[in-house]
Amino acid sequence: MELRAGLITDAPAPVCLPVTLRHDPAHDARAVSVVLPAPGPSPDRHVWTFPRALLEAGLRAPAEQDDVRIWPCGRVQAVLELHAAQGVVLLQLDCAPLVRFLRRTYAPR
C-alpha cells in the first residue's frame, strides 16, 4: 500500500514523503514492513520490518519494539519513529489508511 506521510523536521515548510506498507504472509504472516526512499537521487530504500501487533497497538497507545516506536497523535493521526544507523525518522500518518492496511493483512487471499 502506498501513502504519503508528513516528515517531522525543524524545517519551516512541511515535507511529504512517499511510504510503502507491505505485508507478505508467505514470509511472515504476523509482520509488516515500512519502506522509505533513501535521501537524494539514490534508488535505494530503507526497510523496517516489525510485528503487525506493534502497529495495531500504537494506533491506540504508545508502543515500541527495537528500532520502531508508534503512538497516536490526536484522534486521526499517528507518529511513527524509525531508528537506523544513519539517524531517526519521524513520520506523521493518517490513521485511516493504516487501519485499512491492517484489515487487508487479515483478509484471506
Side-chain angles (χ1 to χ4, degrees):
M1 170 184 232
E2 304 283 330
L3 61 129
R4 308 250 342 137
L7 181 63
I8 300 172
T9 69
D10 58 358
V15 176
C16 284
L17 192 65
V19 174
T20 303
L21 300 174
R22 292 186 184 153
H23 176 252
D24 182 2
H27 183 261
D28 185 349
R30 294 175 291 184
V32 296
S33 296
V34 173
V35 183
L36 302 177
S42 171
D44 294 338
R45 296 191 157 300
H46 297 285
V47 180
W48 287 263
T49 301
F50 52 92
R52 173 176 55 188
L54 180 66
L55 180 57
E56 290 174 306
L59 294 177
R60 295 183 304 275
E64 67 179 277
Q65 181 174 326
D66 301 327
D67 57 354
V68 177
R69 295 181 183 143
I70 185 166
W71 63 90
C73 180
R75 293 174 35 155
V76 298
Q77 293 187 317
V79 173
L80 183 60
E81 179 179 328
L82 305 166
H83 293 252
Q86 301 84 359
V88 177
V89 175
L90 284 172
L91 301 171
Q92 191 166 18
L93 303 128
D94 289 335
C95 290
L98 295 175
V99 169
R100 283 193 301 273
F101 169 74
L102 285 168
R103 284 186 184 142
R104 284 188 215 153
T105 68
Y106 286 103
R109 293 199 175 228

